[in-house]
Amino acid sequence: MGWGIFEDSIETLGRRGRGMSAPFSVVLVTVDCLRADHVSFLGYERPTTPFLASLAQESFVVPNTIVGGVPTYYSFPVILASRPPLAMGRDVVGITPGETTLATWFKQCGYSTAGFVAANPYVSSKFGYDQGFDKFQDFLDQPIGAGSGGVRTKMNRALERFCRGFKPLGAVYDELYFRYCQRVVPQVSSVDSLRQYPAADVVVDSALEWLASIGSDPFFLWIHLMDPHAPYYPGEAALRSFGARTSSPSRQRYLNSFWNRSDIGPNRLRLKRESVLDLYDAGIRWVDMQMARLVDSLRSLDLWNRCALAFTADHGEEFLEHGGRFHAPGTMKEELIRVPLLVRIPDLPGGRMSRQPFSHLDFAPTLLEALSLQVPDSFRGRSRWREWSNGDDCELVAIVESAECVNPNRSEERLAPRVLCIRSERYKLVLHFAQDTMELFDLYEDPAEKQPLPDHVEANTRRRLLEYARQHIENNSMPRASKFWLRARLRELRFYLPKAASASSLN
Ligand SMILES: [Zn+2]
């Protein structure tokens, strides 16, 4: 096992008196759609994360962690490769072939590596997320539940077309069709048949099986969980565990179908908001329960004392706070860009960080330095370990970037207009390139972002944050001829060409 790259680091660890002879192993858990203000270890009144709250006592907890992009496909390159989402070219999605990530870095250093991703296609091997992993399981080839969608027959499609020709009739059709679907779908006895993603226990089971197989090698394990992602099917145990209203599987299906309706406005949707939030919160609780099980197993495998653990999310979720649902790209509200972050390093007491924004761009460098490991040159973020370990406070800004691209599988959509957000502790500047607009929010005075400040107010703040935006774009525009851009385009051709042709021409 070659630790060459860590030789200095191991010596440093010795000087710190941690008594280490080999590097720590690392578990990274990311959760889809988990907003910071719904985890109890950051103050949410409902006990969604009691286990993580106990782990937070011995961890670094960062209350103002800001993602680098929204949604999933703009966020993960920032978490795993410490680079802004559009820096490889606007039309490149995911990890580019040959790009250094946490996984490739740990692998290069001799770690055993594995990734278990709960069937999110945007974090699959298609987009390069398997790179660097000895074992990578994305669960996309396994049958999950049928989901909650209705079945449209030929006849009712024809009826729909007819009704849409007369606007009031269109609304009547939608209402009747929704009710019809609720009546004709068969009763279900378990939410397992309704889920579109494997639940956290299934993913953790696979991870534990792998952990039991690798012996005493240092390892890097990445687990991505989808339980708080819509449709929300948490199951009764999680709902019961914090006293939320219980919901039968059929009721859960009804709530998800209702919440997914595009034909009714926020006022009607709001009638079911609290019930839907019960389901969402219970999904978080289920993640917390599985985190407890994962750590228990690490303890019983005698791995926990030498294992660092990081827990975060790729973005949050909207529940009509600003009229929206789910996590559409282009929205930069706090419920979408602020996520939890907890990092447990063995033998260190941890602590709670200040309210300064901490960008996901700095996550990987900070984690590596916390473990006294070298940081790859390609990582664009900066380690904030000095601030974390000394409790220093310095003014920071976080930049969030996305494009108004709803489906990155369509290459033409990837060139959709950019949206950029510059978030300081107090102010947030949002630039919508399509509309050529700039909005400045004062988060101290208006934490719910109800009203942007008038244009003539805070000119100096605008200028200062705009300068960050200018530098960001200047530093992250990569020439088209870059080898990474070219490789990413070739990878896609391989997917679009027939298999035989791609094998002969590209391999
Ligand atoms: Zn996501």
Side-chain angles (χ1 to χ4, degrees):
M1 187 71 54
W3 304 114
I5 206 157
F6 292 123
E7 275 164 9
D8 292 345
S9 309
I10 290 167
E11 204 177 301
T12 311
L13 280 171
R15 280 204 300 274
R16 281 188 192 168
R18 292 196 222 167
M20 291 274 303
S21 57
F24 286 133
S25 294
V26 178
V27 175
L28 167 63
V29 178
T30 52
V31 184
D32 225 286
C33 303
L34 178 54
R35 45 194 275 180
D37 61 352
H38 275 247
V39 296
S40 47
F41 73 83
L42 289 177
Y44 187 43
E45 66 275 11
R46 186 176 244 179
T48 46
T49 55
F51 171 74
L52 290 168
S54 66
L55 191 61
Q57 304 297 319
E58 53 177 286
S59 303
F60 295 90
V61 176
V62 191
N64 249 346
T65 301
I66 306 295
V67 298
V70 177
T72 317
Y73 35 93
Y74 293 130
S75 178
F76 269 109
V78 189
I79 299 173
L80 296 176
S82 182
R83 61 113 172 131
L86 306 181
M88 290 293 182
R90 299 266 303 283
D91 47 355
V92 171
V93 170
I95 301 296
T96 57
E99 185 173 10
T100 303
T101 65
L102 280 173
T104 66
W105 192 240
F106 281 120
K107 174 76 187 154
Q108 195 181 323
C109 299
Y111 279 56
S112 295
T113 54
F116 297 89
V117 172
N120 185 329
Y122 297 130
V123 201
S124 65
S125 54
K126 175 175 178 181
F127 292 109
Y129 285 94
D130 57 338
Q131 288 179 58
F133 288 111
D134 301 325
K135 178 173 177 62
F136 184 79
Q137 189 177 352
D138 58 21
F139 294 87
L140 287 169
D141 55 351
Q142 294 175 17
I144 316 288
S148 57
V151 182
R152 292 195 181 218
T153 62
K154 250 186 192 172
M155 193 178 84
N156 66 34
R157 268 198 294 269
L159 181 63
E160 180 187 11
R161 273 197 302 276
F162 172 75
C163 292
R164 296 241 177 269
F166 304 91
K167 275 215 162 161
L169 269 185
V172 170
Y173 170 82
D174 286 330
E175 187 63 37
L176 290 175
Y177 181 69
F178 176 75
R179 291 184 189 197
Y180 162 78
C181 284
Q182 300 311 308
R183 294 182 77 163
V184 298
V185 285
Q187 291 294 306
V188 281
S189 56
S190 158
V191 289
D192 292 346
S193 63
L194 300 171
R195 288 203 182 99
Q196 292 180 3
Y197 311 99
D201 52 314
V202 176
V203 184
V204 167
D205 279 348
S206 292
L208 291 178
E209 203 175 300
W210 177 77
L211 278 174
S213 74
I214 55 167
S216 57
D217 283 354
F219 63 86
F220 171 61
L221 167 65
W222 172 38
I223 296 175
H224 181 61
L225 303 174
M226 294 287 281
D227 301 66
H229 191 291
Y232 315 109
Y233 287 116
E236 284 295 304
L239 279 163
R240 270 200 309 271
S241 67
F242 58 68
R245 285 156 287 196
T246 54
S247 287
S248 68
S250 296
R251 172 75 181 160
Q252 290 194 28
R253 180 174 55 194
Y254 166 79
L255 287 169
N256 275 295
S257 304
F258 183 88
W259 194 246
N260 199 32
R261 288 180 72 173
S262 54
D263 58 304
I264 55 176
N267 286 344
R268 270 194 75 190
L269 287 167
R270 212 162 263 122
L271 297 173
K272 304 282 186 248
R273 180 176 182 271
E274 293 309 309
S275 302
V276 173
L277 276 174
D278 283 348
L279 302 182
Y280 173 75
D281 285 346
I284 301 169
R285 178 60 179 252
W286 188 245
V287 166
D288 187 75
M289 291 159 99
Q290 300 312 311
M291 288 299 297
R293 198 163 68 88
L294 174 67
V295 171
D296 270 352
S297 301
L298 286 165
R299 282 200 180 100
S300 53
L301 291 165
D302 206 17
L303 299 171
W304 182 238
N305 288 339
R306 294 177 43 249
C307 185
L309 185 144
F311 178 92
T312 191
D314 62 342
H315 52 78
E317 186 83 331
E318 287 185 276
F319 290 94
L320 302 174
E321 291 82 357
H322 296 90
R325 288 162 288 167
F326 313 117
H327 44 273
T331 309
M332 295 290 181
K333 299 300 182 193
E334 290 293 281
E335 49 269 22
L336 279 181
I337 68 167
R338 200 164 78 83
V339 291
L341 174 61
L342 174 156
V343 178
R344 182 257 186 185
I345 308 285
D347 306 332
L348 291 183
R352 200 178 174 93
M353 301 300 106
S354 74
R355 298 292 304 170
Q356 287 294 330
F358 174 84
S359 170
H360 260 168
L361 191 69
D362 297 335
F363 165 70
T366 305
L367 176 69
L368 291 175
E369 201 191 343
L371 300 166
S372 297
L373 305 180
Q374 201 176 320
V375 178
D377 292 340
S378 62
F379 283 9
R380 313 278 182 97
R382 271 191 45 201
S383 167
R384 303 291 171 190
W385 179 239
R386 191 174 53 80
E387 289 94 325
W388 283 25
S389 51
N390 299 338
D392 293 349
D393 199 7
C394 69
E395 196 188 353
L396 298 172
V397 299
I399 296 183
V400 195
E401 190 172 40
S402 112
E404 294 176 21
C405 160
V406 177
N407 183 356
N409 286 312
R410 297 194 202 115
S411 353
E412 67 279 10
E413 265 202 43
R414 297 178 188 177
L415 300 176
R418 189 193 301 253
V419 183
L420 204 55
C421 164
I422 297 91
R423 166 74 154 77
S424 71
E425 184 186 357
R426 175 166 185 173
Y427 294 102
K428 175 195 269 190
L429 186 74
V430 182
L431 304 168
H432 287 270
F433 285 66
Q435 295 88 22
D436 200 15
T437 59
M438 173 169 71
E439 292 179 316
L440 182 69
F441 293 91
D442 181 343
L443 299 173
Y444 282 6
E445 297 297 325
D446 177 23
E449 302 166 270
K450 293 291 179 205
Q451 191 67 44
L453 292 169
D455 287 348
H456 61 278
V457 173
E458 290 294 337
N460 283 340
T461 303
R462 281 175 210 272
R463 205 170 297 126
R464 189 170 62 85
L465 297 183
L466 271 174
E467 178 55 21
Y468 280 109
R470 189 191 65 74
Q471 284 173 16
H472 174 83
I473 291 175
E474 204 168 278
N475 296 340
N476 292 295
S477 42
M478 179 165 276
R480 278 294 171 107
S482 124
K483 66 180 180 186
F484 289 109
W485 179 83
L486 193 60
R487 286 178 191 164
R489 300 307 299 164
L490 285 173
R491 175 178 66 196
E492 304 220 345
L493 286 173
R494 195 189 300 242
F495 274 99
Y496 298 143
L497 288 173
K499 263 212 155 78
S502 68
S504 61
S505 60
L506 296 171
N507 280 343

